[in-house]
Amino acid sequence: MENKYTNPIIEVKNLKKYFPITSGFFKKTVGYVKAVDNIDMYINEGETLALVGESGCGKTTLGRCILQAIKPTSGSVLFNNKENKQVELTTMPYSQLRDTRRDMQMIFQDPYASLDPRMTVLNIISEPLICHHLMGPAERREYVKELMVTVGLNPRHLERYPHAFSGGQRQRIGIARALATKPRFVVCDEAVAALDVSVQAQVLNLLMDLQEKMNLSYLFISHDLGVVSHISDRVGVMYVGHMVELADTVKLFARPMHPYTEALLSAKPVADPRNKSRRIMLEGDVANPAHLPSGCPFHPRCRYAKDICKEQLPEWRELEPGHYVACHCAQDLQLHGMRGYEK
Amino acid sequence: MSDKKKKSNANIDTVDSSSSYEVASQYKLMWWKFKKHKAAMIAVPVLIIMYLICMCCEFFAPALPLERYKDYKDTAPTRIHLWDDDGNFVGPFVYGLERYTDPYTFRKSYVESDQIIKLGFFVRGSEYGVFGSNLKWDVHFFGVKLPEGEEPGGHNVFFLMGTDSLGRDVFSRILSGGRISLSFCLVSVAFTVIIGLTLGGLSGYLGGVVDTIVQRAIDLIMSIPGIPMWMALAAALPSTMSNLKKYFLMSLIMSLIGWTGLARVTRGKLLSLREEDFVIAARMCGSSHMRVIFKHMLPSFLSYIIVSVTGSIPGTILGETTLSFLGLGLQAPTVSWGTLLQDCQTVDSMAATPWLMFPALFIIVSVLCFCFMGDGLRDAADPYK
Amino acid sequence: MKRPSEDVILAMEDVKVHFDMDEGLLKAVDGVDFVIKKGRTLGIVGESGCGKSVTTNAIFKILPKYGLISGNIWLYEKDGKELEEPINIAELNPTGDVIRSIRGGNISMIFQEPMKAFSPVHTIGNQIMETIMLHVEPDKKKAREICVEALRAVGISNPEQRVDEYPHQLSGGMRQRAMIAMALASKPSILIADEPTTALDVTIQAQVLDLINNLKHENNTSVIFITHDLGVIAEMSDDVAVMYLGKIVESCDVDTLFYNPQHPYTRALLKSIPTADKQHKGRFESIRGTVPYAMNLPVQCGFCDRCDEAIKGVCDKGYPPNVEIEPGHFVRCFKFADKGTEGK
């Protein structure tokens, strides 16, 4: 499975994003919210890497840092551009970054907030084309119509405004906009979280079809393990700004190596009344990213915590080929995966 | 794959029921929502009429604001009749006025005589320059029908809202004062918008030190009590200054104090818009800074500014009136609603000549109308809820 | 109205809630029947806009002014005692004494957004005590003790201190616990939970679901659990009602729903949920189209435009009957029109 994709399109190294906490009359910095802390990962061409985690774990910030929507504090993001050359995004000048944006796009969570309500569908979808000076107006119109058919919208609704569409249709408009410049890498930030179950399935199918057709690479950010298990090739699990585990989807669901992953997998309610899950109850709440506990950020809630966990931040290591984990005790633990995956 | 494609294509609804709602732009939706606000729908035409009348006040007023009827001081409003004493229909007319002195109090007042003075539309009256130009004209919208050859200013008089102690027609002065008062608030708000948008925009867009300085300045200005501040600034204006200069300086003073609210709104809206998904989406599409600001942020921001500005107009009208009433703002012979009210500062004059309070009525109506309009605009500002 | 059986506490009979809007008549709830039995959980599941929240708001009589309610909502038990004459909640004055004593006393509600349900300017303790003093114990000191105990019961650590804190000082999960404490402080016989875990993270959701289940067993409370998440339904409920466009299209016990669903909508819904045990990288079975807007709808089965099994000339020509195909298993579909006895 690991050998299916070999060419990394995105490589993230030691990426950090600290938001300063200011207070007082002169807004002095009194601390930092470590939204993203020391992340290492890569995404191969044509694959889907999913990021899961609870709210506030920094998965959205990480996605935006990779696209440079938010400037990361430090670290590097390497992007494999069209000429197959690795370029550094974090230090790229703005004008060059704008050009590179043709190849990387984003789909947003909220289909209501992400479309400018004052623009027609035609204008929304052709926005990236106008910005990159691609095509003339007439040609653009035809192309937008084509795109609308591709994402399953009626091309006759070209002149309508977003308020005339349902949530699922709006999300399709957002997808069409993201795909207008034929990108190679797309960040889907909770792209289906706001949709109803039946519509969610439609949009996920669309995303998968488009990936096949256009050889897209996805960074799929989600909190829904069910969705993730279907759509992704590899999964990264985040906890308050730290990546705690990253592995092949099947491997991670079948045999997780981090106690947090185990708890997350067991907490998801299973739609099967005869098989009520044996949950691992996590004590307490998610740690506050402004005041992280010492050592491993997960240790106050971890039932396997040892003394070392309170003192030392665990190292990010590759325990098995392609299976990364940040836990002191990972090799000694026998953790349970999700039912249906365990064999 | 082809099977899947068929399925996703089936999602397109085959009927195109393109109703107007679906292709309605933001301003159309705002207009539809605004129309639902009944008070605002009444207020807007009232305001338009008021502005039109005050703009052409020489034409609509029967007399000129500074024209004195020496024989008719402190006259009460004249009654308009349609039928004469015998019950015959004559059309609108007034009776002539005779001076009457109370034998006990020696107080002078006027009683109606038998003389019938007919009223009419588009009548000849005092000559005035059209819009202040040299082009002379003497037709007034309504007034007394002067007999052929008679000059205005004689004994054929008619005072809709009475006269003041110098014998000047109050109604004509109100219309003329309206021109100053109603335009003053627009000029002042224009200054406010310029200062507020610039400083608020800089504060929100640049952030950092600029933001801190502007915010602290706003705090400072907001903490200064209004009237003493105005007094100090108004006192600094030399009394020899021309009326026009004074008018603009006064409005500048008003906006120097009034910009803070607008700056706060601007900054807050900018900050929240910057994080709005569709703005980030525009940046992700590769839009330049300028395009993001002018194409995406400004339009969604404009409606809020319009609301905020409309909301601040009543305050400006009242501010100007207050200042002029206190004798700090515009001064006679400039006519504004505030200076007109100066005439009824004592209880005495209020009891003897209550018609001098008519300007207050116009202030109330215009302030209410602006409030209703602001209300309607606020409801309509965000049509996407 | 005769009580159907001993353990029925509340019965809905053909309840309709229509909203009279400028644009037309919005049939948010259009003829809903169900019963709440003692100590059991009824799960109501459906997509957004199907009327599941409006249904429970009707029981609570918290509808906007233009909401017209018809049908009967019979309440058979009040304050733990059987009523001689059942109360018809649908006919009560929404601001009257009777409904006020039922609200928060006999029937309590937990909302999706705990932050919105608490007033930010009063302490948690004061707000919970208000309910207690109104329905259980008028003495302030004793009410406070009950309040502390209630907070302890929902697993809030250090309740003596928490009782004097303001809502914003608690985390999302804590707030939801506090709200459950408030809802259960008056020992209600029915607890309505309207998407209580949708705003919470998975691990916190697991805590809250467990808590609701434990408290339900301890107090023998009946629960109406509204959610769009079929996983939560499977965990929580004994009986399930599937709602679509203001109507209950299928109702049965939870096991039947997941192992022998009959209505095309239920079946499609079950197939479209992404469960982890289906294998990797598969396609989803989706339902085409979207839920129509419940205004000025034609007389037809609400699902027929999206249904793969729709029969032309039948499904689009009238409302399908509600048929009891097996004891306790009702389906509202033309396919079963002659396969069982017609239910009410």
Side-chain angles (χ1 to χ4, degrees), chain A residues 25 69 98 127 161 163-164, chain B residues 21-22 216 283 286 291 296:
Chain A
F25 191 76
R98 270 181 60 196
E127 176 78 7
Y161 285 84
H163 61 250
Chain B
Y21 172 75
E22 276 132 358
R216 294 297 89 84
R283 271 168 55 206
R291 195 178 162 84
H296 298 278

Side-chain angles (χ1 to χ4, degrees), chain A residues 143-247:
Chain A
Y143 180 64
V144 169
K145 276 188 183 169
E146 246 171 68
L147 266 177
M148 286 178 79
V149 175
T150 316
V151 298
L153 289 167
N154 188 342
R156 285 157 75 186
H157 295 168
L158 205 60
E159 301 291 345
R160 290 194 181 184
Y161 285 84
H163 61 250
F165 294 91
S166 68
Q169 287 173 316
R170 280 161 176 247
Q171 202 56 295
R172 286 170 195 268
I173 300 174
I175 293 171
R177 171 176 62 189
L179 298 181
T181 51
K182 299 205 170 70
R184 291 154 58 230
F185 171 61
V186 177
V187 173
C188 307
D189 188 357
E190 299 267 14
V192 294
L195 306 176
D196 274 324
V197 191
S198 65
V199 180
Q200 174 179 310
Q202 294 169 5
V203 174
L204 285 172
N205 283 341
L206 173 66
L207 286 174
M208 289 201 272
D209 289 348
L210 292 169
Q211 176 167 45
E212 217 169 290
K213 214 156 87 183
M214 304 171 72
N215 194 28
L216 294 169
S217 316
Y218 287 135
L219 176 65
F220 194 89
I221 299 168
S222 177
H223 66 276
D224 189 332
L225 291 164
V227 171
V228 163
S229 73
H230 274 252
I231 198 166
S232 63
D233 299 299
R234 292 189 301 140
V235 182
V237 181
M238 285 185 77
Y239 186 74
V240 282
H242 294 262
M243 188 81 90
V244 295
E245 187 167 3
L246 193 150

Side-chain angles (χ1 to χ4, degrees), chain C residues 92-275:
Chain C
L92 291 178
N93 176 1
T95 52
D97 285 341
V98 186
I99 189 70
R100 287 225 308 272
S101 75
I102 292 173
R103 272 185 213 148
N106 293 82
I107 308 176
S108 293
M109 196 153 178
I110 339 176
F111 299 91
Q112 179 176 351
E113 281 285 336
M115 197 61 199
K116 285 181 190 156
F118 278 115
S119 153
V121 295
H122 297 289
T123 61
I124 294 277
N126 275 341
Q127 296 183 52
I128 299 178
M129 274 154 65
E130 200 187 328
T131 320
I132 299 172
M133 282 155 72
L134 213 64
H135 296 290
V136 189
E137 174 62 63
D139 182 67
K140 198 167 179 186
K141 243 191 183 150
K142 283 184 190 150
R144 192 184 159 91
E145 276 163 30
I146 297 175
C147 172
V148 171
E149 281 319 304
L151 287 177
R152 201 191 306 280
V154 295
I156 289 180
S157 56
N158 205 358
E160 292 86 357
Q161 185 198 329
R162 295 282 183 191
V163 82
D164 291 321
E165 285 185 1
Y166 288 89
H168 67 265
Q169 288 170 295
L170 305 180
S171 68
M174 281 292 170
R175 252 181 253 139
Q176 198 57 280
R177 281 165 188 269
M179 186 148 83
I180 294 172
M182 177 153 89
L184 294 179
S186 58
K187 300 255 181 292
S189 48
I190 300 173
L191 175 73
I192 301 173
D194 188 355
E195 304 254 9
T197 57
T198 308
L200 302 177
D201 282 318
V202 197
T203 56
I204 310 294
Q205 164 175 296
Q207 295 171 358
V208 172
L209 291 183
D210 253 35
L211 173 70
I212 294 177
N213 255 343
N214 290 343
L215 292 171
K216 173 193 137 191
H217 288 305
E218 268 169 39
N219 303 329
N220 204 21
T221 317
S222 313
V223 180
I224 304 178
F225 202 98
I226 301 173
T227 179
H228 66 277
D229 187 337
L230 282 159
V232 175
I233 284 283
E235 295 273 334
M236 296 298 291
S237 45
D238 303 309
D239 307 299
V240 187
V242 182
M243 277 191 83
Y244 187 79
L245 222 58
K247 288 192 168 76
I248 293 180
V249 293
E250 184 161 11
S251 66
C252 53
D253 63 88
V254 68
D255 196 75
T256 315
L257 186 90
F258 283 92
Y259 284 95
N260 189 20
Q262 291 303 325
H263 196 282
Y265 175 64
T266 318
R267 290 213 297 247
L269 202 61
L270 282 168
K271 274 188 207 151
S272 66
I273 39 170
T275 46

Side-chain angles (χ1 to χ4, degrees), chain A residues 54 202 232 279 282 285 341, chain C residues 171 203 207 235 276 280 287:
Chain A
E54 296 177 271
Q202 294 169 5
S232 63
R279 291 207 201 98
L282 286 182
D285 286 317
Y341 277 90
Chain C
S171 68
T203 56
Q207 295 171 358
E235 295 273 334
H280 174 59
I287 311 175

Side-chain angles (χ1 to χ4, degrees), chain A residues 258-277:
Chain A
H258 196 283
Y260 177 65
T261 315
E262 185 194 32
L264 208 58
L265 292 178
S266 80
K268 185 184 160 46
V270 181
D272 183 356
R274 290 187 193 168
N275 219 337
K276 295 199 179 174
S277 53

